Amino acid sequence: MAGADGDDSLYPIAVLIDELRNEDVQLRLNSIKKLSTIALALGVERTRTELLPFLTDTIYDEDEVLLALAEQLGNFTMLVGGPEYVHCLLPPLESLATVEETVVRDKAVESLRKISQEHSPVDLEVHFEPLVKRLASGDWFTSRTSACGLFSVCYPRVSSTVKAEIRQHFRTLCSDDTPMVRRAAASKLGEFAKVLELEYVKTDIIPLFTALASDEQDSVRLLAVEACVSIATLLPQEDLETLVMPTLRQAAEDKSWRVRYMVADKFSELQKAVGPEITKNDLVPAFQNLLKDCEAEVRAAAANKVKEFCENLPEDNREQIIMSHILPCVKELVSDTNQHVKSALASVIMGLSTILGKDNTIEHLLPLFLTQLKDECPEVRLNIISNLDCVNEVIGIRQLSQSLLPAIVELAEDAKWRVRLAIIEYMPLLAGQLGVEFFDEKLNTLCMAWLIDHVYAIREAATSNLTKLVEKFGAEWAQNTIVPKVLGMANDPNYLHRMTTLFCINALSEACGQEITTKQMLPVVLKMSNDQVANVRFNVAKSLQKIGPVLDSNALQTEVKPVLEKLASDSDMDVKYFAQEAIS
Amino acid sequence: APSTDQQELFCQKLQQCCTLFDFLDSVGDLKSKEVKRAALNELVDYLSTNRGVLVENAYPEITNMISTNIFRALPPSDNPDFDPEEDEPTLEAAWPHIQLVYEFLLRFLENPDFQPSIAKRYIDQKFVLQLLELFDSEDPRERDFLKTVLHRIYGKFLGLRAFIRKQINNIFLKFIYETEHFNGVAELLEILGSIINGFALPLKAEHKQFLMKVLIPLHTAKGLSLFHAQLAYCVVQFLEKDPTLTEPVLFLSFLPLKAHCTRLVIRGLLKFWPKTCSQKEVYFVSVQFSAISVCYVMLVMFLGEIEEILDVIEPSQFKKIQEPLFKQIAKCVSNPHFQVAERALYFWNNEYILSLIEENIDKILPIMFSSLYKISKEHWNQTIVALIYNVLKTLMEMNCPLFDELTASYKAQKQREMMKEQERDELWKKLEELQVSRASEVQNNSHGSPAALNNNNSNNNNNEPQESSDDVEATAVIMEDLHQDTTDIACENVSCAK
């Protein structure tokens, strides 16, 4: 076995077999994950003749191992000798595409789709397409489900006879006995339509679409709605009315809320696909109905689309449609019984102001914003506040400030810390829009109060909020308003608050600049090195390290260094460690 | 009223009851709602106290009234993260009416005058399909009615039986592999339990496939504890019918035994319907967290089911399955979660299992020994250690010489295992070096890239760069040893499996 390529590579396959048969799943998984190593060691020929047949035969393993295998094989083309031999990967992937576990099957299909692109047109017909056919006529539903995802990747590159066969197989699967298969086919209908010639879209896809959209199972019907978007995009405008619209109208009024939900969820896409005329005549009333639907799920999905829908209306009579058809529904939604609906609306309603302009906003929208700002559900209020910038552009935020303040204060003190956290994140934005005076007067106290919140995440967010405020209002403002308060906390009896001082200093030093840092902050930090709580002391060390670059070298040498040296001989291990870290 | 008028009135009331009311609006139409309730009550009474009511033209009226009232799209759950184990279900608002309609449907099906040959024109596949969809109702009262209704239909309509079984099949497969959500699994399994009971022997291929491809995978589904009792009952029913199924069932059930954690892991974020849920992250964290706790709960349940199966196993079947079975039991005994270990050790309290073990002690003891021995020294829980000692003692009494022999060879075996572990590490190391050298060869050949790159590569993986030819030779030697080793093991494996 002197060095010839073939001989030394005999062994890795033995290793693999051993590892693959190991009782320990983890070991099997490891060896599968290193499959490319083994293939590389084996060389392309032995990978093809020994490794792949072995893998094909041993597909009985646990899903986790199979998933790894399915993924690996998608990247194996070079390891079997390039595109010329890529079809060798088909047998193991075919088996994987028939297993029960959806995740594994989907991965196998994904890999098959990937390597299909590496097949030559001839190989595609000789090897790949027969595989698709076998899967499509498999006994158990899993293989037929997998086949649905493979038609569209081979269709464009095969001869017209084979194309006809593929279309026939797809038709068959669309009326499969098993709902799982019909769902898979329905979910690939749009994708398949895209690769078909227009005449076949009309003769083949439309009847399938109509049938799936009136399937007995709502889980199939709702997938047809998704396909509707792609199909409508493909057809010329004059055919839409007869071929697509009857089905779409029916879906928008389906008895199952899931289907109506899907229509609402896809509304913007549908709107673009069918064009302005149909939108005016058909979609506007349909949208009104969805906004008034009896299920909250559906109303919420539709409410989410209000802005996009209005934006995409044809400009010539956009304002008129919104004012007379959409706005009345929106007004009702503001006082909906379901908080998800209100909150969905609140996340987009502000966007209407740019579309409707200043006068309409003040007259019609402002009262709605104000109502939502007072809503009982914090999420609704938060969504309004987080979108203030849209309104600001149109009418200025002052119009709202009277109602804004109580809303902010209430959110700032909400019992749920996630709500408090969310409002903190909008503070810099609000501060920018409301101006420094208003801020000092009304909001500053809140920002400082968050520094002593009992939840760490809030204190942390409050700290970084201060940094952003300083960046906005400047160092001088910081010196006058927040630095004294922050430094005052250094004497707080609660060590957590004392540490907050340090964290604030860490965050603020850069924005405040050398002078404030050296003259005001540094003395406080240094003083805190005598704190009796070790956590404070090692945070002093960390702070000194952090603010070091902002300080001048004189202060570093004469003030910082001695303190760090003292801390480096502290009795506490952690303090020592961080002091030494800081020194170096 | 005279009987012809009565019949007329009956039909009118049926039509009257087709009017639906909005129960979410609790103040509207109160009077009309009360009228309908009274009418429904009268209908129920009329049907149960009179004979000869079910004339042929009453059937379409009756089924129409029932369909109009009960077949509806179930509303989205009030609670998007509804967890049937934790949360209170959302109850059906229209229950005051719907309950009476179900009541009426049952009286109709159970009526002595009821004629399936007429009814089958109305109670058809579509009717059954819609009925089955209702099993997803969150309201347990509704599911309970549905259970009885479906059972009656299965009993009376022979032509619908295969269809019903197939649709239940589909519901389960969708539940296992697609949605992981269906409220009526336990109820459907309960019906199946009695259906399986009535299967004729020999079992049809369709039924066996149902057992292997649906019932066993159901063990891996979410919320197993909600329907495990009914599921285990179905499995045991099958095995009592046909004991030859024990071997494949036990074999397959090891897969869920091992795979249930994997499944939760690879599925990652679970898909769930209503999208208004605002706390997805929180939910995800709790899913991951509960995945760990779910794992041991499921293991404990599995072990319970396996014990049920062993209770009815024939000694000849036991012999076929004992090897893989006890390898799994050995793993469970070693499980760090004491409830899992404890449940596995309880097998030794079962007289019948004990007798099976004794009969095959020469095969079982070598499998169990090293795990038991190791755990007796290492397990953190004292109860488990005490249980292990008892089990070891029992096993020792069954075959003392073998026990002594195993004790003596335990250390040597441990050492062998460690050696193998080291060899494996070595192998992979060599293999990776080989890969690097191959990769650089390819690179050199195809692009003529500078040697520096080559060195770089090998430095990344190995601190001391070696000549690649040495490398290959060294690998070859070790691999040759191992190759022999694996062939031995491979043979052994084959002989075990057969």
Side-chain angles (χ1 to χ4, degrees), chain A residues 22-33:
Chain A
N22 199 298
E23 280 183 25
D24 189 338
V25 193
Q26 203 50 47
L27 289 175
R28 290 206 300 277
L29 193 58
N30 287 346
S31 55
I32 283 288
K33 282 185 174 160

Side-chain angles (χ1 to χ4, degrees), chain A residues 1 5 8-9 11-12 14-15 18-19 21-23 27-28 31 34 36-38 40-43 60-64 67 100-105 140-141 177-180 183 216-217 219 222 255-258 261 265 295 297 300 340 379 418, chain B residues 73-76 80 129-130 133 136 166-167 169-170 173-174 177-178 209 213-214 255 258-259 262-263 265-267 273-279 281-282 327 331 420 424 427-428 431-432 434-435 438-439 472 476 479-480 482-483 486 489-490 493:
Chain A
M1 35 179 83
D5 260 3
D8 58 81
S9 57
Y11 303 103
V15 179
D18 189 26
E19 299 287 85
R21 290 191 172 150
N22 199 298
E23 280 183 25
L27 289 175
R28 290 206 300 277
S31 55
K34 290 181 205 153
S36 58
T37 310
I38 290 157
L40 205 61
L42 278 172
Y60 58 88
D61 209 320
E62 278 177 47
D63 296 334
E64 203 176 352
L67 178 67
E100 256 86 6
E101 175 53 54
T102 328
V103 182
V104 176
R105 231 185 311 136
W140 190 237
F141 78 96
D177 210 22
T178 328
M180 279 78 78
R183 275 195 288 278
E216 63 202 10
Q217 303 243 341
S219 51
L222 67 90
K255 74 176 165 106
S256 162
W257 64 272
R258 288 187 173 82
Y261 172 94
D265 195 47
E295 280 306 340
E297 288 287 335
H340 295 301
E379 210 180 318
R418 278 172 189 279
Chain B
L74 292 170
L129 204 59
Q130 297 182 85
E133 275 179 23
D136 194 20
K166 200 167 90 191
Q167 294 310 320
N169 230 315
N170 288 340
L173 289 169
K174 182 180 174 195
Y177 296 114
E178 292 182 5
Q209 191 187 47
K213 296 243 183 189
V214 183
L255 275 180
K258 289 178 289 177
T262 319
R263 229 178 108 77
V265 173
I266 62 171
R267 291 229 130 183
W273 241 101
K275 290 188 178 160
T276 42
C277 169
S278 58
Q279 290 179 318
E281 303 149 62
V282 187
K327 278 184 183 164
K331 270 190 199 160
K420 253 189 104 176
R424 171 179 299 118
L427 275 168
W428 278 107
L431 207 61
E432 256 146 44
L434 194 71
Q435 177 190 16
R438 282 281 165 91
V472 171
M479 284 179 182
E480 192 166 39
L482 198 103
H483 181 51
T486 48
I489 287 171
N493 272 349

Side-chain angles (χ1 to χ4, degrees), chain A residues 44-64:
Chain A
V44 292
E45 202 181 321
R46 301 195 65 135
T47 300
R48 289 198 300 269
T49 54
E50 289 172 49
L51 181 60
L52 288 176
F54 172 74
L55 290 172
T56 314
D57 291 340
T58 45
I59 294 177
Y60 58 88
D61 209 320
E62 278 177 47
D63 296 334
E64 203 176 352

